[in-house]
Amino acid sequence: MVSLVLDHVGVTLGRRAVVRDVSATFAPGTLTAIVGPNGAGKSTLARAMLALVPATGKIRVDGVDAAAMPRAALARRIAYVPQGQLLHWPLTVERLVGLGRLPHLAPMSRIGAADTAAIERAMARADVLDLRDRVATELSGGERARVLFARALAVEAAALIADEPLASLDPGHQIDVMDMLRAEAAGGALVIAVLHDLTLAARYCDRLLLIDAGRIVADGTPAQVLTAERLRAVYGIDARVETGGDWPTITTFGRSAR
C-alpha cells in the first residue's frame, strides 16, 4: 500500500507556468486518468509526481517529501511507464524487463533469485513470456507496449504511473493496455494514467482528473467530470454525453462555435 498526496503543486518550465496549484490525493486500488487537451500540463504533472521535474508545493509519498527521497527509494514505491515506445538498445525482452529491478540492486550487483522471480511474474502478468528471447527493437508497437509495461511491473511497486500508454497503438492494443492497468488497480495498486481517449478513460477509470492550462477543472467519477458543458469549455467541441449505461458514452459533433 502506498499513499500519494499533492499539495498546491506547481511546475514552471522556462518562463511558463505549466502546472498551477494542483492538490489531489490518490488512493490504492484505484485507476485514475489525468485527462485534458494538448499542452494542459498532464505529462508534466505526472513527471512531477516522480520528482523528474522540479516543483513547488509538496508531493508526499507515504508522508515523505518525494523531492527529498533517494531516487531508488522513490522508484521502488512508484513504477513508471514513460511516454513513447522508442527502444534504442537491441536487448532481449527478458533483459529489458529485468531493468525494472534496478531500483532494488546495489551498484555493480547481479540479479538474484528474488529478482529473477519478479521478472518472471512481470512477464506473465503482461503476457510476454513467449517473447522473452525476442530482440525488443524488433517488436511490433503492441508487443513493445506490453514489454514496457512488464518492465514497470518488475519493480513490484505499490503504485504505477503511465504517461500516455495508448499513444500510437491500434484500438485492440489500447484495450489490452487498459485491461492491464485495470487489473493492477483491482489487485490493490495505486494506478495513474495520462490519457487522451475520453471514451476509454470513462470505461475503465474510477476517477478522472481533468486539467486545463495547468489547473484542475474537475475531479471525480467519469459521469461527474464528463459533461457536455465541460467538453465544450475545455476541448472546444460539441458533444452529447449519455450516462445511462455502465460508463458515460460520448458522441462528438465537431468544433463548437466559441
Side-chain angles (χ1 to χ4, degrees), residues 27 37 63 68 77 102 127 136 177:
R77 287 169 172 79
L102 289 177
D127 193 24
V177 170

Side-chain angles (χ1 to χ4, degrees), residues 27-76:
T30 59
L31 172 54
T32 300
I34 301 176
V35 297
N38 289 336
K42 303 182 299 297
S43 294
T44 300
L45 178 60
R47 289 171 58 81
M49 296 180 199
L50 296 149
L52 296 176
V53 294
T56 57
K58 290 292 183 182
I59 300 170
R60 296 185 178 88
V61 179
D62 292 336
V64 179
D65 184 357
M69 294 175 68
R71 180 72 62 182
L74 182 58
R76 288 193 295 270

